Amino acid sequence: MMPGGTKEQMSFRADKEIAYFTRKRGFIRIAMSRGIPLVPGYIFGENQIFRATKWDPYIKFSKKVKEITGFVMPLVSPWPYPTNCRYIMGDLVDVGPPNANPTNEQVEEVYRRYVAELQRVYLLHNLRSLYFSTKFV
């Protein structure tokens, strides 16, 4: 399971790495309900495959289509740019024993550890994987 989704698809940039998470933390709750550890992973080079348009009328149109249909239609270059992609997995983030109804505090504690591990992976592998420095937000 990889968090991100619509906002990430609509906002990606080749010069900046941004990870988006919803406030609901559903991926954390699912893992906690089954007692399955999370494996934070980061795909380096993914944002450099395509170039998205920054043409404002299309962005507004695409957001409206998403509101109505639930589908995202980012306008990108029709051909991928040559790049190297690397998927790096971090250390397991333990979620404890199965818990069908974790409290918000328990979910946030696991979320903080997940993000900390994701940031560690990014900082450790950024320059080796992207060959240029980007900011992780």
Side-chain angles (χ1 to χ4, degrees):
M1 195 176 329
M2 297 287 288
T6 303
K7 188 168 184 171
E8 201 165 283
Q9 291 174 8
M10 294 297 297
S11 304
F12 78 91
R13 292 177 42 180
D15 63 338
K16 189 179 283 188
E17 301 293 311
I18 302 173
Y20 293 96
F21 298 94
T22 66
R23 289 186 174 92
K24 296 179 184 174
R25 314 278 190 251
F27 73 104
I28 304 272
R29 291 181 187 281
I30 291 170
M32 292 179 80
S33 72
R34 292 167 176 79
I36 298 172
L38 294 164
V39 182
Y42 199 86
I43 302 172
F44 291 93
E46 181 181 33
N47 285 357
Q48 290 71 39
I49 296 173
F50 292 99
R51 302 295 187 267
T53 183
K54 298 301 178 200
W55 187 46
D56 194 52
Y58 183 80
I59 292 170
K60 288 178 181 174
F61 169 75
S62 188
K63 286 180 180 179
K64 190 55 121 179
V65 168
K66 193 263 182 205
E67 287 175 19
I68 294 168
T69 67
F71 294 103
V72 178
M73 297 176 25
L75 182 62
V76 297
S77 55
W79 295 278
Y81 286 80
T83 188
N84 293 318
C85 287
R86 290 182 67 196
Y87 180 66
I88 307 290
M89 294 184 296
D91 294 335
L92 292 177
V93 175
D94 185 45
V95 299
N99 182 352
N101 295 303
T103 66
N104 288 339
E105 292 78 22
Q106 291 169 321
V107 171
E108 286 302 312
E109 189 272 326
V110 171
Y111 171 74
R112 280 190 295 276
R113 290 190 286 119
Y114 177 87
V115 170
E117 179 58 17
L118 189 62
Q119 287 174 326
R120 186 191 72 77
V121 166
Y122 179 82
L123 292 172
L124 185 64
H125 296 279
N126 176 34
L127 288 177
R128 284 185 287 175
S129 298
L130 292 176
Y131 309 105
F132 61 91
S133 181
T134 59
K135 182 178 180 183
F136 182 79
V137 181

